[in-house]
Amino acid sequence: MTTETPNQIPPAAISDDHAFAVWAAEQAGERLLQVRAEGLEGRALKDAGDAAAQSLLAALLAEHRPDDAVLSEEAADDKSRLDAPRVWIIDPLDGTREFSEPPRDDWAVHVALWESGELTAGAVAQPALGETFNTGRPAVVPPRSSVRPRIAVSRSRPPAFVEALAAELDAELVPMGSAGVKVMSVVRDVADAYVHAGGQYEWDNAAPVAVARAAGLFCSRVDGSELVYNKDDVSLPDLIVCRPELAESIIAFVREHGTD
């Protein structure tokens, strides 16, 4: 496995958390592209990617944000974070399956900062796409380019309730990979909504939600309640990210029909 050292931290990222999130996510993305080019396949590629991105992000955070706590999918949960004022919530490789299927580009790196109850900075890098969406320079969501609403769904297991929701809204389903990619698809006008109730964890959506909110999109639990991070139980099983004009219809459907 490659062990190249990360690029020198840009001066802006030393003190600016938005810039640091971007830089850290992009450094992990570059490392993942290097791992992907080494000729590994299947489970070996998945494991190598997870390990390489986790190692790099952990090292960057330890060096440049040593006083902050970290919650990561790929590391043991240090419960001292519950008393910390600042917690980085990271998913070093979101969409491991898609990462292991070159040349797919629907996988991502998530880096988010939680401060005293709020997500305050975040970046979602899509390295194979060459894009990093972030809170420092929020994306401008383009006007909707489709006549019918589009709902991002899992390419392998779209939930039945979302198919019923699509029928109710006369929407089309757009299959794609990782959770972060689905949220960014709304930012990019590839989809108009992402509605999920199949189980996630805080690291799956913290950075995507931070970025989506900064871009002016609506984000909540499927019942319309607030998304809460840095909890003892890191399960965050459902969410809605959508264009604001679709939120009321989606929440009303879920409240009436549920997600079973």
Side-chain angles (χ1 to χ4, degrees):
M1 181 188 300
T2 185
T3 57
E4 286 87 345
T5 56
N7 296 323
Q8 184 174 3
I9 186 170
I14 294 174
S15 59
D16 183 270
D17 291 320
H18 301 284
F20 177 78
V22 171
W23 177 71
E26 289 182 344
Q27 295 305 297
E30 287 183 17
R31 179 65 57 85
L32 285 163
L33 291 174
Q34 293 164 1
V35 171
R36 214 185 197 195
E38 291 175 351
L40 299 172
E41 296 180 350
R43 173 50 61 185
L45 179 54
K46 293 177 181 178
D47 291 346
D50 284 336
Q54 168 62 29
S55 177
L56 179 61
L57 285 176
L60 295 182
L61 287 163
E63 179 177 358
H64 299 291
R65 297 295 189 271
D67 297 328
D68 297 347
V70 179
L71 172 63
S72 172
E73 178 178 18
E74 301 300 331
D77 184 4
D78 182 352
K79 295 293 186 177
S80 66
R81 65 179 172 79
L82 296 172
D83 298 315
R86 289 167 49 97
V87 181
W88 292 90
I89 303 175
I90 63 172
D91 190 343
L93 175 51
D94 176 55
T96 308
R97 175 180 173 181
E98 288 74 23
F99 171 76
S100 72
E101 299 176 358
R104 295 194 69 97
D105 62 20
D106 49 347
W107 51 278
V109 178
H110 299 177
V111 178
L113 175 62
W114 175 95
E115 289 185 275
S116 302
E118 300 291 339
L119 296 174
T120 57
V124 177
Q126 289 188 238
L129 193 64
E131 294 277 0
T132 302
F133 305 91
N134 66 89
T135 53
R137 294 184 176 178
V140 176
V141 180
R144 198 169 97 188
S145 59
S146 67
V147 175
R148 299 171 63 200
R150 299 155 298 177
I151 302 176
V153 294
S154 170
R155 65 190 181 100
S156 58
R157 51 188 187 281
F161 92 92
V162 175
E163 295 179 345
L165 171 64
E168 178 78 11
L169 300 180
D170 189 29
E172 59 180 306
L173 301 181
V174 184
M176 61 187 73
S178 79
V181 167
K182 293 186 186 77
V183 176
M184 292 309 100
S185 75
V186 186
V187 173
R188 297 169 56 212
D189 186 40
V190 174
D192 303 302
Y194 172 42
V195 186
H196 178 81
Q200 286 185 358
Y201 296 92
E202 292 186 18
W203 48 73
D204 290 311
N205 57 57
V209 164
V211 171
R213 282 179 174 164
L217 295 171
F218 175 86
C219 304
S220 79
R221 299 284 300 270
V222 292
D223 62 359
S225 61
E226 189 68 23
L227 293 156
V228 180
Y229 295 90
N230 195 36
K231 306 186 307 298
D232 184 25
D233 179 0
V234 297
S235 174
L236 195 54
D238 55 71
L239 82 159
I240 297 169
V241 177
C242 67
R243 289 180 178 268
E245 65 269 21
L246 294 175
E248 185 177 345
S249 297
I250 293 171
I251 292 169
F253 177 88
V254 172
R255 287 177 176 170
E256 181 178 354
H257 300 284
T259 59
D260 294 334

